[in-house]
Amino acid sequence: MSQMTPLLLIAAGAVLHAWWNYLVKRSGSDDVMFVWCYGIVSLPLLAMALVGWLLHDGSLGPAWWAGVVSMVLHTTYAVVLQKAYARADMSVVYPVSRGLAPVLVTLASLAWATSPTRWGWTAMVLVIAGSACVGGGEASPGGRGAVWGVFVAAATASYTLWDAFAAEVLHVAVIPYMALSGAGQSLLLTGVLWRRRGEFGSRLRSDGLRALPISLLAPLSYALVILALQSGTPSMVSTARSLNVAVGSLFAILFLRERPSRTSWLGIGLICCGAIVSAF
């Protein structure tokens, strides 16, 4: 299969991913309760997908336990992301996190995955340089956004590595895997927030409509990535996902009215070039 196929899947997912990240940033909240809210809103859709799969196929295979691990990693990512966007600009957090994540993925996957080609290593160098430019051009004091970007990158690399293992080695089916992971996240956060259960009803009423598009866009955007992981290497897919930087930066500029510095613009351009080079 051509490497362009996973790249096209990733490009489509980039638009959806940047869209729901923008919605999370626009929420203006660092409360984990908002993450719980959009997880709960997605439950009916996930339940229908899972029931439909069971009626059609009748088995889960390794997706049930692999989904539990994925649930823990994706929940960690969602919580870190929520807090990052409450404390720093999306135009900084998004490029840094999307730029550094593939570096971490590539280094960690060298032991079991195919080593990147010369083009792959070139793409990584461009992405690293671009991330450094974005962080160096940050206007906020102390590089706060860049630091949060590193935290998000670590969380992103963790779930990417596990999901690549699940797709390539365990050959999990995408639908039950995503459904179980998403439903498990909602149950986990319900347990974590149980002391605040008196707020559940009021938060769903106040935040339900804002959470609805996130609950649809987030799983759909990542389902495209899982499909890409089935035909591309973890290093290639993760690096190509840096295309998200271009779309995410566009959302931050057009809708959040953020204004990156010239150095940050240079960094965003380098990251996008790295994403394109990764396809060769």
Side-chain angles (χ1 to χ4, degrees), residues 22-111:
Y22 155 71
L23 294 174
V24 169
K25 170 63 178 176
R26 195 179 66 172
S27 73
S29 172
D30 68 347
D31 192 350
V32 177
M33 186 71 78
F34 188 72
V35 180
W36 171 85
C37 192
Y38 66 72
I40 290 295
V41 171
S42 71
L43 274 180
L45 175 64
L46 296 175
M48 287 189 294
L50 184 58
V51 170
W53 174 267
L54 290 174
L55 291 175
H56 176 266
D57 187 84
S59 65
L60 295 175
W64 71 269
W65 65 267
V68 172
V69 178
S70 179
M71 171 265 294
V72 174
L73 297 175
H74 278 272
T75 302
T76 302
Y77 163 75
V79 172
V80 172
L81 187 72
Q82 186 75 30
K83 293 186 177 298
Y85 283 152
R87 290 166 169 78
D89 287 347
M90 180 177 174
S91 58
V92 175
V93 174
Y94 201 89
V96 171
S97 63
R98 286 293 139 192
L100 291 181
V103 177
L104 300 177
V105 168
T106 300
L107 294 177
S109 63
L110 285 177

Side-chain angles (χ1 to χ4, degrees), residues 188-242:
L188 175 62
L189 289 178
T190 298
V192 170
L193 295 169
W194 190 247
R195 290 179 300 174
R196 299 172 58 187
R197 58 188 178 276
E199 302 177 37
F200 286 172
S202 61
R203 289 301 294 269
L204 280 174
R205 287 190 294 272
S206 64
D207 293 338
L209 286 178
R210 287 194 301 163
L212 179 59
I214 300 174
S215 70
L216 299 174
L217 293 170
L220 181 56
S221 68
Y222 201 65
L224 295 176
V225 175
I226 297 293
L227 290 174
L229 283 168
Q230 293 179 338
S231 55
T233 65
S235 174
M236 179 267 172
V237 170
S238 186
T239 304
R241 286 193 76 197
S242 299

Side-chain angles (χ1 to χ4, degrees), residues 154-166:
T156 301
S158 297
Y159 76 66
T160 300
L161 285 167
W162 176 255
D163 290 343
F165 175 78

Side-chain angles (χ1 to χ4, degrees), residues 169-193:
V169 179
L170 301 179
H171 303 291
V172 297
V174 174
I175 292 177
Y177 182 70
M178 293 288 297
L180 290 169
S181 176
Q185 176 177 310
S186 298
L187 293 175
L188 175 62
L189 289 178
T190 298
V192 170
L193 295 169

Side-chain angles (χ1 to χ4, degrees), residues 258-269:
E258 296 177 6
R259 293 293 178 261
S261 66
R262 291 181 180 179
T263 304
S264 293
W265 272 118
L266 173 62
I268 291 169

